[in-house]
Amino acid sequence: MKNIHINIKTIFLSALFSVFFLTSCEEYLDQEPQDSATEAIFFQTPEQFENAANFLYTRFGFLNGDEATDLSNNYTTPDYGQGLIAPVDSDGEWGGNYSKLRAPNQLIEKATEYEGTQSDIAAYVGTAYFFRAYHHTLLLKRFGGVPIVTRSLSPSFDEVTAARNSRYEVIYQIFLDLDEAIAKLPSASSVEQGKLSAEAAKAFKARMLLYEATWDKYVGTTTDGNGTDTGAGSAKPTGYPSVDAMLTEAKSLAGSVMSSGSFELWDKRNTACGDDHLFYLYNLDNADSNPAGLTKADNKEFIIQTVYDFTLRNLNKNHSHAKPVTPSRKMMDMYLCEDGLPVQFSSVFMGYANMTDEFQNRDLRLKSFVYEPLKEYWGRGASVDGGGAQYGATFATSGINYDYRYVPSLKSITSGRNTGYQGRKWVSEQINREGNSASYNFPILRLAEVMLIYAESAVELGNGTISDGDLNLSINKIRFRAGVAPLTAALIAPFPDLNMLGEIRRERAIELDGENHRYDDLMRWGIAEAELNRNVNLNYITGTEYETADDPIDVGNKIYDPSGFPLGLTTVEEAPYSYSGIATSKAGALILDVAGNRNWTRARYLYGIPRDQIDANPNLKQNPGW
């Protein structure tokens, strides 16, 4: 396994980073159009096509975009979560994605001129088609319908001053490009870890089919505008699929990826990682990053991933300090109990009286991703919070004079990342990774999501029903590794508040928390207004240990200081959801944000077209409500 890891680093990472950053190919491919002689010289051999394709992987990054949602208590940047999105003069996502379309378009064009054997460059052309779909996807999700660009532009080309294509025309082009990628990319069994495969393109198409099918079903044309005065209109291309057709293909593609044998769910409970095994999946680096000595080569779950490397491309973001994935009261209660039931119905839920009670008999994802009060945890780097993990030693024998217990600090609403519950996902405990130098990979798309796509497509096709067989093929495998009983029709039948669609959506929220899906999901389900325009609450204070507990670290003070929370506590029972299967928030919970601060509307499902683009091209019409 060690040899495999070295092979990945030397073959893929070196090609991906060293070639382009040292030979200035990025400058070549991203600059204004080149003269034809230079382009012809560059695209002459399969190796040159490979280099051009490898460059495209640098577009993948770290995509945590779930801060300030209904499930998050991280309010360092609350404006988006509150729906306070103002019109802007310029938007880097518009210009950035259009400039990045040039490189894949150029590679596709040059492939048609290549005089060698087409099969020698097929994988690289497939990579280009994937990234052309990827950048159109980012534009679609942010702005709705946008001008489609399928060639490397010159200033005289019509696309420069074109009107917006409808979202339906854009998504149809995305589907066409992903079909090309599926046909041209090699199977996952024959590619290096971190590179795209046919299965990766299938998984991504399944994601987009489900995304658009549910958008069409629940949002419809309400964000389109008429295409004349506002928005991009609702024109559909010939052959545009129905909702059921998209759901059917999404389920089929997801099933194909699941049965390919190329990927497997990470489950390392039977190693030294124990019940914390899911925590280590998201911080997996070299053998020093976990107590079982596992490396990135042991991760068979990530299908598409941003590849980082300590030497060639480290993360350069201090996620171990920022702790961006931190749960709200709603999220804490969405985690299931071991019996597969939510807290309000489970006979094994221990309640809230003591700080540690709600962590007992719960989903291992809660244990892996949220610090449990008074439990000991390693810090990070050489010295922060006592320093990083010394696997093989105990906290008592670490040689560091430090109290490793996690003690909640409910002293100020402005403490942001450390308010109430504190998240662990993406927090490295590796002793030799300081500050911005972490180098674990980020999952753009992983097998668990494919299983969720399969289940959600099935329940949508079944008008709210899904067979136990389909559940066992998909999300029950995810629940098993989280130590949660399987979801079955019989399990939820005694509880009128529970239904299959709601439970599958719950699984998606829990499993993909912090991986850049929550806002997209709420919008494509048409419930962003209902979910985001409510109070965001935190820990229960009244009648619990938090109300009077002394702080064992900050001696002489209490864990909770009411003066630090000007919004006070809830006084009545509240429903933080549009699905009745999620537990209500009872009176006595800390309030982080109030509904009066939140103003999500249907218009905010899309960003406005930046003013500088409309000034440059008056044929672009602004989105409705902007």
Side-chain angles (χ1 to χ4, degrees):
M1 200 156 291
K2 182 177 180 181
N3 289 336
I4 294 174
H5 179 62
I6 292 171
N7 183 56
I8 293 167
K9 178 183 285 189
T10 57
I11 294 177
F12 177 50
L13 288 174
S14 294
L16 178 56
F17 305 121
S18 300
V19 167
F20 288 100
F21 295 129
L22 297 179
T23 64
S24 299
C25 285
E26 178 176 3
E27 179 182 349
Y28 167 72
L29 287 171
D30 256 4
Q31 64 186 327
E32 290 302 309
Q34 308 295 300
D35 65 77
S36 58
T38 304
E39 292 179 349
I41 291 170
F42 184 79
F43 289 98
Q44 283 190 325
T45 68
E47 290 74 21
Q48 289 169 329
F49 277 91
E50 181 181 17
N51 287 341
N54 281 343
F55 161 73
L56 300 176
Y57 287 93
T58 62
R59 279 86 184 281
F60 288 150
F62 196 98
L63 300 179
N64 173 49
D66 291 342
E67 293 182 12
T69 71
D70 55 323
L71 306 182
S72 170
N73 80 42
N74 190 338
Y75 266 69
T76 53
T77 54
D79 289 356
Y80 188 71
Q82 294 174 337
L84 305 178
I85 314 165
V88 295
D89 292 328
S90 62
D91 189 319
E93 292 300 313
W94 180 284
N97 281 292
Y98 274 114
S99 68
K100 289 174 181 176
L101 278 168
R102 174 171 172 73
N105 278 333
Q106 185 184 59
L107 194 157
I108 292 166
E109 290 165 354
K110 292 305 172 184
T112 65
E113 302 170 7
Y114 180 61
E115 296 180 356
T117 303
Q118 284 291 318
S119 60
D120 291 343
I121 63 170
Y124 318 130
V125 180
T127 301
Y129 273 108
F130 176 89
F131 277 99
R132 189 163 79 181
Y134 181 72
H135 289 298
H136 278 113
T137 293
L138 297 179
L139 288 164
L140 173 81
K141 287 186 174 182
R142 192 171 182 89
F143 302 109
V146 293
I148 296 170
V149 175
T150 56
R151 54 179 176 168
S152 52
L153 297 180
S154 292
S156 61
F157 286 4
D158 292 341
E159 291 92 331
V160 175
T161 57
R164 298 168 64 182
N165 292 97
S166 71
R167 68 174 297 111
Y168 314 98
E169 292 167 331
V170 176
I171 195 69
Y172 193 65
Q173 181 63 51
I174 290 168
F175 293 159
L176 293 176
D177 283 346
L178 290 173
D179 285 341
E180 291 286 347
I182 291 167
K184 290 177 168 59
L185 286 165
S187 67
S189 61
S190 62
V191 302
E192 296 142 9
Q193 189 180 36
K195 280 199 169 183
L196 292 169
S197 63
E199 289 83 358
K202 286 180 181 180
F204 195 84
K205 187 178 183 187
R207 171 194 282 183
M208 295 309 299
L209 285 160
L210 177 62
Y211 175 87
E212 192 59 25
T214 48
W215 187 287
D216 284 4
K217 180 175 181 177
Y218 296 111
V219 181
T221 61
T222 58
T223 61
D224 290 351
N226 59 24
T228 302
D229 302 308
T230 62
S234 303
K236 292 184 178 179
T238 302
Y240 184 80
S242 67
V243 168
D244 277 1
M246 285 188 276
L247 292 170
T248 299
E249 187 179 2
K251 182 183 178 186
S252 175
L253 287 172
S256 175
V257 174
M258 289 157 51
S259 63
S260 69
S262 297
F263 308 98
E264 61 186 48
L265 288 179
W266 168 276
D267 191 343
K268 305 298 181 183
R269 284 173 293 177
N270 295 325
T271 70
C273 295
D275 284 353
D276 269 355
H277 74 112
L278 288 166
F279 167 77
Y280 292 107
L281 170 62
Y282 296 97
N283 303 283
L284 189 63
D285 194 347
N286 58 27
D288 296 329
S289 65
N290 60 89
L294 303 168
T295 70
K296 292 179 181 181
D298 294 293
N299 175 11
K300 304 298 191 300
E301 180 166 340
F302 291 3
I303 298 173
I304 304 174
Q305 57 191 307
T306 305
V307 177
Y308 291 105
D309 180 80
F310 183 65
T311 302
L312 298 172
R313 187 199 188 192
N314 65 51
L315 188 58
N316 200 29
K317 290 186 179 182
N318 199 343
H319 285 290
S320 292
H321 171 72
K323 307 178 182 72
V325 187
T326 55
S328 64
R329 166 82 273 134
K330 177 180 179 180
M331 181 63 176
M332 287 294 293
D333 288 337
M334 285 182 74
Y335 284 107
L336 296 165
C337 297
E338 290 177 344
D339 59 5
L341 293 172
V343 295
Q344 72 272 30
F345 299 129
S346 174
S347 62
V348 300
F349 181 59
M350 301 297 291
Y352 307 98
N354 298 306
M355 290 187 292
T356 60
D357 284 350
E358 63 181 309
F359 288 83
Q360 309 309 309
N361 307 322
R362 298 294 294 277
D363 190 318
L364 293 182
R365 290 169 290 193
L366 171 60
K367 291 178 174 291
S368 281
F369 301 141
V370 183
Y371 286 92
E372 182 177 341
L374 307 183
K375 183 177 177 179
E376 292 177 307
Y377 295 92
W378 296 112
R380 58 190 173 87
S383 59
V384 178
D385 294 338
Q390 299 181 47
Y391 302 123
T394 66
F395 296 101
T397 62
S398 68
I400 307 296
N401 183 23
Y402 184 79
D403 190 334
Y404 287 97
R405 290 176 297 172
Y406 166 66
V407 178
S409 180
L410 303 178
K411 295 182 172 65
S412 172
I413 198 169
T414 60
S415 61
R417 302 175 181 91
N418 299 320
T419 298
Y421 302 105
Q422 183 168 300
R424 294 179 72 205
K425 201 170 187 178
W426 316 122
V427 178
S428 174
E429 63 182 21
Q430 193 166 352
I431 198 165
N432 59 352
R433 296 293 189 261
E434 303 286 353
N436 291 357
S437 67
S439 53
Y440 43 80
N441 293 353
F442 180 86
I444 303 294
L445 199 159
R446 56 190 176 88
L447 181 60
E449 184 194 344
V450 175
M451 293 176 169
L452 290 161
I453 291 169
Y454 182 92
E456 186 180 343
S457 298
V459 78
E460 288 284 2
L461 286 166
N463 294 316
T465 65
I466 180 174
S467 70
D468 286 351
D470 274 342
L471 289 168
N472 289 336
L473 281 174
S474 55
I475 63 172
N476 281 337
K477 293 182 178 181
I478 302 171
R479 287 163 72 109
F480 174 78
R481 70 148 173 201
V484 172
L487 175 62
T488 64
L491 178 72
I492 65 174
F495 307 100
D497 285 343
L498 303 183
N499 61 65
M500 279 298 179
L501 179 60
E503 289 307 297
I504 288 170
R505 288 181 175 183
R506 181 205 301 271
E507 277 297 326
R508 186 173 174 90
I510 294 170
E511 181 65 27
L512 300 179
D513 186 36
E515 296 181 42
N516 204 48
H517 294 277
R518 184 60 177 174
Y519 286 113
D520 282 349
D521 287 344
L522 294 180
M523 288 186 282
R524 68 183 176 87
W525 296 331
I527 60 173
E529 305 97 313
E531 299 293 313
L532 294 170
N533 288 338
R534 300 174 187 259
N535 285 1
V536 178
N537 301 324
L538 300 173
N539 312 58
Y540 285 122
I541 301 298
T542 304
T544 75
E545 186 179 9
Y546 285 110
E547 191 169 25
T548 58
D550 293 325
D551 190 326
I553 304 297
D554 186 11
V555 178
N557 292 302
K558 301 292 184 181
I559 283 177
Y560 166 58
D561 181 356
S563 68
F565 290 86
L567 298 175
L569 307 177
T570 57
T571 57
V572 296
E573 190 170 6
E574 301 174 355
Y577 49 73
S578 56
Y579 169 48
S580 60
I582 301 172
T584 57
S585 291
K586 295 181 281 293
L590 273 176
I591 302 173
L592 177 65
D593 196 21
V594 292
N597 290 339
R598 307 173 73 76
N599 188 34
W600 261 83
T601 65
R602 187 54 57 95
R604 284 337 183 226
Y605 280 33
L606 301 175
Y607 274 73
I609 306 300
R611 295 190 187 101
D612 60 352
Q613 298 300 323
I614 294 176
D615 290 343
N617 177 12
N619 289 319
L620 298 174
K621 303 304 178 183
Q622 186 58 274
N623 278 323
W626 286 86

